[in-house]
Amino acid sequence: DTGVSQDPRHKITKRGQNVTFRCDPISEHNRLYWYRQTLGQGPEFLTYFQNEAQLEKSRLLSDRFSAERPKGSFSTLEIQRTEQGDSAMYLCASSIQGRITEAFFGQGTRLTVV
Amino acid sequence: GIQVEQSPPDLILQEGANSTLRCNFSDSVNNLQWFHQNPWGQLINLFYIPSGTKQNGRLSATTVATERYSLLYISSSQTTDSGVYFCAVDPPQGAQKLVFGQGTRLTINP
């Protein structure tokens, strides 16, 4: 396993369309996180899973956003009825629950809504 | 919530120079990580350093948790060191939801 993998790397969509991103974490990691990064800013937390349970969602995550992690492995992040303000880099990270909780990030999915 | 401030926001240096990046945080933390964001947007792990000092080649980091700051040192800078450096902390509420600073954009000129 070479690390956290995200797909696609880039997505251009028209306003109002739905998009879905996928994240495959490091295989032994039971925690999975989604972050969003806009231009010139640091990443901001969106939501996280411990195994298959979604334990927390940021207020940044409007009801147009939904995330799943079936079977506690890969995760998907769906955005419905995309808006131009959704244009950002979406980053996935994973870690192991425990004393050493270093997080590792994927390459990100860059979303552009036109 | 916890505040994370990085300084300077921008730093331009000549190849071979040394640099120090600072990260201040407003509350105690469980964890602190330094990342380098490459031109393609991926965050590359540099250090996991909740306290103490670590070194990895030309890079080293020190976190003084009691005084709520961390420093990243880059010696003998190379053009490939250019990019944005982020400090991120894990507040005591747990679950390792990282809170990031705004980053320091480092430009190394040949």
Side-chain angles (χ1 to χ4, degrees):
Chain A
D1 189 277
T2 57
V4 180
S5 178
Q6 292 187 245
D7 182 71
R9 297 291 306 279
H10 303 274
K11 179 70 177 180
I12 300 174
T13 191
K14 292 183 178 179
R15 189 172 46 190
Q17 297 295 305
N18 299 343
V19 294
T20 300
F21 310 141
R22 177 181 172 121
C23 172
D24 287 89
I26 294 172
S27 57
E28 63 268 27
H29 286 187
N30 63 339
R31 284 186 171 169
L32 186 149
Y33 304 80
W34 287 98
Y35 292 81
R36 182 172 68 186
Q37 184 179 22
T38 53
L39 202 61
Q41 304 296 314
E44 295 176 290
F45 168 79
L46 291 178
T47 188
Y48 92 95
F49 293 83
Q50 183 163 300
N51 301 310
E52 66 275 9
Q54 186 175 17
L55 296 186
E56 188 166 346
K57 294 192 288 186
S58 162
R59 61 181 181 277
L60 293 176
L61 211 66
S62 78
D63 55 8
R64 296 184 297 105
F65 288 69
S66 62
E68 295 182 342
R69 192 183 182 195
K71 304 177 184 177
S73 56
F74 71 91
S75 175
T76 57
L77 178 67
E78 181 183 17
I79 308 174
Q80 296 182 326
R81 306 181 302 281
T82 52
E83 301 173 355
Q84 286 190 319
D86 297 331
S87 296
M89 175 75 91
Y90 290 84
L91 295 161
C92 176
S94 69
S95 70
I96 298 176
Q97 179 188 6
R99 190 173 65 85
I100 304 295
T101 56
E102 186 174 5
F104 294 86
F105 283 77
Q107 313 97 312
T109 294
R110 189 175 297 280
L111 173 67
T112 302
V113 182
V114 297
Chain B
I2 193 168
Q3 303 297 311
V4 181
E5 294 184 357
Q6 291 187 242
S7 60
D10 292 279
L11 187 58
I12 301 174
L13 298 171
Q14 291 298 121
E15 198 167 25
N18 301 330
S19 57
T20 301
L21 283 57
R22 187 176 180 102
C23 172
N24 291 335
F25 42 97
S26 61
D27 202 349
S28 58
V29 297
N30 291 333
N31 168 24
L32 186 145
Q33 291 186 241
W34 283 98
F35 298 92
H36 177 207
Q37 190 161 41
N38 68 21
W40 299 272
Q42 185 167 10
L43 289 168
I44 307 299
N45 289 43
L46 297 178
F47 293 101
Y48 172 89
I49 186 166
S51 63
T53 297
K54 291 186 177 180
Q55 180 156 7
N56 184 2
R58 296 181 296 103
L59 274 61
S60 64
T62 295
T63 296
V64 184
T66 53
E67 297 187 21
R68 299 179 184 169
Y69 73 89
S70 184
L71 301 173
L72 177 68
Y73 304 96
I74 305 173
S75 64
S76 305
S77 300
Q78 302 175 358
T79 55
T80 51
D81 295 330
S82 296
V84 183
Y85 289 80
F86 286 104
C87 162
V89 301
D90 171 20
Q93 291 86 352
Q96 219 228 349
K97 298 179 299 176
L98 292 175
V99 177
F100 284 76
Q102 296 293 304
T104 291
R105 180 173 296 279
L106 177 64
T107 302
I108 304 297
N109 292 322

